[in-house]
Structure formats: C-alpha cells, structure tokens
Amino acid sequence: QKEVEQDPGPLSVPEGAIVSLNCTYSNSAFQYFMWYRQYSRKGPELLMYTYSSGNKEDGRFTAQVDKSSKYISLFIRDSQPSDSATYLCAMIRSSASKIIFGSGTRLSIRP
Amino acid sequence: DTGVSQDPRHKITKRGQNVTFRCDPISEHNRLYWYRQTLGQGPEFLTYFQNEAQLEKSRLLSDRFSAERPKGSFSTLEIQRTEQGDSAMYLCASSSPATAAYEQYFGPGTRLTVT
C-alpha cells in the first residue's frame, strides 16, 4: 500500500466550477501537507502548504487537512482554463528531508 | 532567471551508456534534492544534500546511480550502464536554510529516454 493515495483522474469540469481534489495517507507522522501544480513537461510548483490540521485559503485556492481521518483536500473556486494541470498532493514529516508525493490528479477546465 | 536550472532538458541514450545530469540550485540554497518521476506517477525521492554532504539516499538509488555536490553549489547525477527502466524525468529541487524542508523549489527536470 502506498503511503499517499490520490485519484489519478482525469477530472474535467466547466469553467467557473468548484473543483475538489483529495488525498488520503497512512503515516500519522506527516506534519506538513502541500499541494503542487505541474504543467505538462514542467517541474512541480508549490501552490500551498498547511501545517497539521486546519484550513488555509489563498485567493481562489483553499487547502484542508483532517489529520484524524488522514484526509487532505484542495478546493479551487471559479476555475479557469489556466488551472488545467496535474495537481500533486504531498506531505513531509517534521525534520525530514524527503517529500512523499501522491500520484497526481490530471485536471482539465473546459472553456 | 533565478530559479533552479537543469541541464540537459532532454537526453536520449542507448541502453548500456552512461549519462550525467547537472542541477544548479537557487543561489544561497544550501539544500539540494534529486527526485525521479515516471509517467503518471508523482516524484519519488532519490537523494538529499546539505551543502556538500550527501545526508540521505533512497533505496531507489542503486549502485549504478551516483550523485555529487562537490563544492556545495551545483550537483551532478550520473547513471551508469543505463537500462530501459531508467527512462523517467529526473527532477532537482533546492531549499533555503531559512525555511523548512517542505518549501522545496523544483527545476524543469531532465527527461531521460533509454532506447
């Protein structure tokens, strides 16, 4: 079993819709939870991070972490075609160096 | 451009050949990481340097793989006797001593194709 599970999609939604992306994990030692966006043939770009449980909002993006359920989410409001990319959830233990990534969800926003 | 840079961006090689990739981290970032990403998967950690010291290596880093960071600036990743299973995107990332390790900035990657 992988430490981090993520639905690979693809997920296709119309422009303006609310998008929900999710991951589950098994290692309760993870403390930092991140979302990366990766465009085709590019490196991952850090979108947001959350420390421990809770919510964090940044513009159209909201990240949620529920450590009791080992479940994290990313919501994208008012989705735009430019949001079309692969979204990777990721997590790391405190004082660790290696990030553990999910397999990524491919998202397509239809104009 | 002050981001992480990697060279080459794409490498095609025949099975059995050796290849070397270079990564230049963001200036003054003392931590440098190598990851490998195969199609449809997330990046997988390979190794980590703090300054010139290689502090962590994954089991994925077989004895055909070697990474160096001789002066604590750029890093090289060499693969000897390449196999078709080595075909992947090799990503380099760096982070600042002032931030936690979660804040890693990735380069554009080197795409390796082994024929």
Side-chain angles (χ1 to χ4, degrees), chain A residues 10-20 60 76-84 106-111:
Chain A
L11 182 62
S12 179
V13 301
E15 184 175 354
I18 296 175
V19 175
S20 171
R60 297 184 295 110
I76 307 174
R77 290 183 300 280
D78 186 25
S79 55
Q80 305 293 311
S82 59
D83 295 328
S84 297
R106 198 150 53 99
L107 173 66
S108 175
I109 309 296
R110 307 188 302 270

Side-chain angles (χ1 to χ4, degrees), chain A residues 2 38 41 49 97 99 102, chain B residues 37 41 56 102 104 111:
Chain A
K2 289 184 175 180
Q38 187 172 27
R41 298 186 179 272
Y49 78 91
S97 53
I99 293 175
Chain B
Q37 185 176 25
Q41 299 298 315
E56 190 171 351
Y102 67 79
Q104 296 179 22
R111 183 170 297 278

